[in-house]
Amino acid sequence: MNRVVHPIEVESYRRLRARLDTSHFPPLTRAVVERVIHSAADLDYATDLVMDEAALRKAHTALHAGAPVVVDVEMVGAGITRRETVCRLRDAESGPGLTRSAHAIRLAHEQVGPGALWVIGNAPTALEELLTLDADPALVIGLPVGFVGAVESKAALRESGLPAVSNVSEKGGSAVAAAALNALLYHPTSAEENL
């Protein structure tokens, strides 16, 4: 992917790395940590994020091979650049025991099937619903924000054993969830590294 990086972004990363040594992270983990920190100007994400490099490698391969990207809200989709996303929130309806966000995840799952990358940055109930489905995801970026259900839904994601990016605290949100996906999207493939 040919991407022109603006000088402001270059300077921002220089300042980030001057304040925080990220060199000990493996390549894709470092890319995710740095892009999330960059999106939130919050250095605490370096110790708050939880992910596995091997899972990120597989997700990176799937993403660059064209796997679908599903988002819980349009704001997450708006933050993901150079890639179409699936968001079914406009089609969803709430009902007894089912939030609109959870219904949107069901609808998206019916549409995309297995192997998608799921990016959840808003609704803990969306992440909770995804965990009840047989989604067989390439990756779940589970970074919903909030004081009700966010910590618990992210803990459940980690306990599920699914390939995931999550964090331990209440922090999260659309911008950081999109940033985590963009880190994988922007990271070169082995073919691009050899150009």
Side-chain angles (χ1 to χ4, degrees), residues 31-169:
V32 171
V33 168
E34 288 184 346
R35 185 136 312 263
V36 167
I37 289 172
H38 176 259
S39 74
D42 186 344
L43 298 174
D44 289 341
Y45 275 111
T47 56
D48 192 40
L49 287 165
V50 179
M51 67 197 94
D52 174 73
E53 184 72 9
L56 292 179
R57 280 195 303 271
K58 289 178 183 174
H60 181 262
T61 299
L63 179 65
H64 288 274
V69 176
V70 180
V71 299
D72 64 330
V73 293
E74 290 181 15
M75 189 177 288
V76 174
I80 295 172
T81 56
R82 300 178 185 217
R83 190 62 188 266
E84 293 295 320
T85 61
V86 173
C87 181
R88 296 296 303 273
L89 192 59
R90 288 181 185 226
D91 305 318
E93 298 177 0
S94 62
L98 184 71
T99 66
R100 195 165 152 240
S101 294
H103 186 227
I105 293 300
R106 285 185 190 178
L107 294 173
H109 178 255
E110 291 170 5
Q111 179 179 339
V112 302
L117 287 88
W118 295 80
V119 189
I120 298 175
N122 185 63
T125 59
L127 182 53
E128 291 165 0
E129 184 64 24
L130 179 60
L131 296 177
T132 69
L133 302 174
D134 187 22
D136 191 21
L139 184 71
V140 178
I141 297 174
L143 295 169
V145 63
F147 295 112
V148 178
V151 168
E152 296 83 358
S153 67
K154 292 180 273 193
L157 172 59
R158 290 189 298 279
E159 291 167 10
S160 75
L162 293 175
V165 174
S166 70
N167 68 311
V168 177
S169 73

